[in-house]
Amino acid sequence: MTTALIFLPVAGALLVMLLPLRPFAVGATALLVALAEIALWIDTVARFDFNKPGLQLEEQQTWFSDLHVSYHVGFYGFSLWLVGLTTVVLAAAIGYASWAGRERPRAYYGLMLLLTGALVGVFVSQDLLLFYVFWEAMLVPLYFLVGVWGGAGRLRATLLFVIYTMAGSLLMLASIIVLGLSQGTFDLVGSGTNGSDWIFLGFVAAFAVKAPLFPLHAWLPDTYRESSPEVAAVLSGVVSKAAAYGFLRIAIAKFPGPVSDFRTPILVLAACGLIYGSLLAFRAPDLRGVIAYSSLAQMGLITLGLFAVNDLGLNGAVLQMVNHGLISASLFLLAGGIERRAATGELAALGGMARGRPALATVLMTTGVIALAVPGSAAFAGEFAILAGVFQTGWGYAVVGAVAIVLAAMYMLRLISAVLHQSPGRAVTDAALDLRPAELGIVVPLVAILLVLSAWPAAITERSFAGSQAVSTVRQALP
């Protein structure tokens, strides 16, 4: 089952790349594969026992016996939800691309499906070298998706993306080699913990680049702005969560001593990124800038929860990973729809789009209200749990988080007001249509999942770690 989730989209990629299909048929086939991946994940959830600790749906085959490297995959509760996030967001992204139309569709949809398989592989890998293989496989499609199908500034964006990610990948590879050789195995389940500060910092730097976290975020604004809307949705919604997963599965689980030693500086940097990203989001002049910098802020908040290393913080962080993945994906796809209608994402040129466009206004308002974490929303549940968890580590971090929530309300309300209200801007014409049924069919399911999580956040917080004992699970069930 776990292997099927990895290789179904890979097989679909080969299918759409090799078969001589018409452009519409290529997009339709890729979307069918993505929907089949969701169905397979639902079957996986039905087979998963959330009350049972440890790894489930496990498969292991020897790869390099001399180095004790194996193809070892399986699920923990928290990784199951992240794979679900991956399948849903990638299906929405492929659906949006199919509706919008992309040049060279066979290559485009093939790369999107390859990216799906690589992301699933990252979340289920239980061997360090296998994790690295999928990590690098995840980056290759992104290079092409940004560099070939991006906007006018795609070359600079791709260059920054490559430089930062390659530097992080090299640090990770060095850390993996040293850790695996020192342990005598590269298996994450069979190996013990390690006390090396340098190996720990190598992993942290690699994950911080990919998240991204302050101050290693310089690649973020250009890449998110120049990517196509669906690729930006995947970058912000899912790829950043691969880094957060790395923090949890490797950095925190395998390095308890260094986590204790370096927790304070990491929490300080995460808090700085939370405030810094929120302020930049409030000042950003365009839709994508607001969403991109809000992602920087949210990843800082998620990192606060992870490195609080207590039950509330860890459970809240996992819930917020899913929340933010769905929120940012929805916002980027909506931003793409607005840009198609107005030919710009500049807030100063927008306005008044609520008039005559009730579907756009309703979906954007609903997503925005959830994003600003009003009480009763899924984002409120995740952020409250994180703040309660990090308060146990230091009340100052919770104060910073509370301030950032206020800033989030400011920049999200500014975005909503600039797009929907005020007088129509110079780029908004009466001919601009409301969201079409195909667009609604792509975005509404994402918002619907957020509404379900708003009513039942315990679906994730009580099912990410066996028995809801997050710390004991991290320290004992992930040795």
Side-chain angles (χ1 to χ4, degrees), residues 99-170:
W99 173 79
R102 294 289 176 242
E103 296 179 354
R104 286 161 287 188
R106 288 197 292 175
Y108 190 87
Y109 294 113
L111 290 170
M112 291 289 281
L113 289 171
L114 287 174
L115 178 58
T116 305
L119 282 163
V120 173
V122 167
F123 291 130
V124 301
S125 293
Q126 305 302 327
D127 182 278
L128 282 168
L129 278 182
L130 184 66
F131 177 87
Y132 184 77
V133 167
F134 283 122
W135 183 271
E136 290 300 296
M138 169 185 72
L139 300 179
V140 173
L142 288 171
Y143 298 153
F144 292 105
L145 289 169
V146 177
V148 177
W149 286 273
R154 62 185 180 275
L155 295 181
R156 182 177 185 274
T158 305
L159 181 62
L160 280 174
F161 183 64
V162 168
I163 291 173
Y164 272 83
T165 54
M166 288 304 297
S169 294
L170 290 174

Side-chain angles (χ1 to χ4, degrees), residues 43-390:
D43 188 28
T44 304
V45 174
R47 296 168 183 262
F48 195 88
D49 184 356
F50 290 100
N51 295 316
K52 179 182 176 182
L55 194 66
Q56 297 185 45
L57 303 175
E58 181 180 9
E59 298 175 49
Q60 186 171 17
Q61 294 291 332
T62 300
W63 193 3
F64 303 117
S65 58
D66 293 343
L67 294 174
H68 299 284
V69 177
S70 62
Y71 170 82
H72 191 187
V73 295
F75 281 101
Y76 293 99
F78 58 89
S79 60
L80 183 67
W81 299 121
L82 294 175
V83 169
L85 172 67
T86 301
T87 61
V88 169
V89 171
L90 265 295
I94 291 171
Y96 182 91
S98 179
W99 173 79
R102 294 289 176 242
E103 296 179 354
R104 286 161 287 188
R106 288 197 292 175
Y108 190 87
Y109 294 113
L111 290 170
M112 291 289 281
L113 289 171
L114 287 174
L115 178 58
T116 305
L119 282 163
V120 173
V122 167
F123 291 130
V124 301
S125 293
Q126 305 302 327
D127 182 278
L128 282 168
L129 278 182
L130 184 66
F131 177 87
Y132 184 77
V133 167
F134 283 122
W135 183 271
E136 290 300 296
M138 169 185 72
L139 300 179
V140 173
L142 288 171
Y143 298 153
F144 292 105
L145 289 169
V146 177
V148 177
W149 286 273
R154 62 185 180 275
L155 295 181
R156 182 177 185 274
T158 305
L159 181 62
L160 280 174
F161 183 64
V162 168
I163 291 173
Y164 272 83
T165 54
M166 288 304 297
S169 294
L170 290 174
L171 285 172
M172 184 194 296
L173 180 60
S175 298
I176 285 173
I177 291 173
V178 175
L179 178 61
L181 293 178
S182 66
Q183 296 275 8
T185 179
F186 288 86
D187 191 76
L188 281 167
V189 178
S191 62
T193 58
N194 188 281
S196 171
D197 291 342
W198 290 109
I199 300 176
F200 169 76
L201 290 175
F203 280 113
V204 167
F207 298 140
V209 167
K210 183 52 59 190
L213 294 180
F214 174 86
L216 301 175
H217 66 283
W219 63 269
L220 175 142
D222 286 341
T223 305
Y224 282 22
R225 282 188 173 109
E226 298 302 330
S227 303
S228 59
E230 63 272 17
V231 172
V234 173
L235 279 167
S236 177
V238 183
V239 173
S240 62
K241 307 311 175 291
Y245 170 81
F247 280 135
L248 176 56
R249 183 65 186 93
I250 299 176
I252 294 174
K254 292 298 177 183
F255 298 90
V259 166
S260 179
D261 295 338
F262 290 96
R263 181 165 63 171
T264 297
I266 292 172
L267 288 174
V268 169
L269 287 176
C272 290
L274 178 54
I275 297 295
Y276 180 68
S278 298
L279 291 174
L280 289 180
F282 181 70
R283 291 175 56 86
D286 60 318
L287 282 170
R288 294 207 199 187
V290 175
I291 305 167
Y293 287 119
S294 71
S295 295
L296 173 64
Q298 284 296 309
M299 290 311 299
L301 180 66
I302 290 168
T303 303
L304 283 178
L306 291 173
F307 281 90
V309 196
N310 53 44
D311 289 350
L312 280 171
L314 291 172
N315 280 303
V318 174
L319 174 59
Q320 196 60 16
M321 287 185 215
V322 177
N323 288 338
H324 177 251
L326 295 169
I327 290 169
S328 63
S330 300
L331 289 174
F332 269 117
L333 296 180
L334 287 170
I338 293 168
E339 289 169 357
R340 288 175 64 88
R341 286 161 173 80
T344 182
E346 295 294 326
L347 297 178
L350 300 173
M353 295 194 77
R355 296 183 183 91
R357 303 171 188 90
L360 172 63
T362 301
V363 176
L364 183 57
M365 280 288 294
T366 304
T367 308
V369 166
I370 295 173
L372 58 85
V374 297
S377 68
F380 176 80
E383 291 182 9
F384 185 83
I386 289 173
L387 295 183
V390 81

Side-chain angles (χ1 to χ4, degrees), residues 439-462:
E439 293 174 289
L440 290 171
I442 294 163
V443 179
V444 167
L446 302 180
V447 180
I449 296 172
L450 285 168
L451 293 174
V452 170
L453 288 177
S454 297
W456 190 28
I460 291 178
T461 56
E462 293 184 359

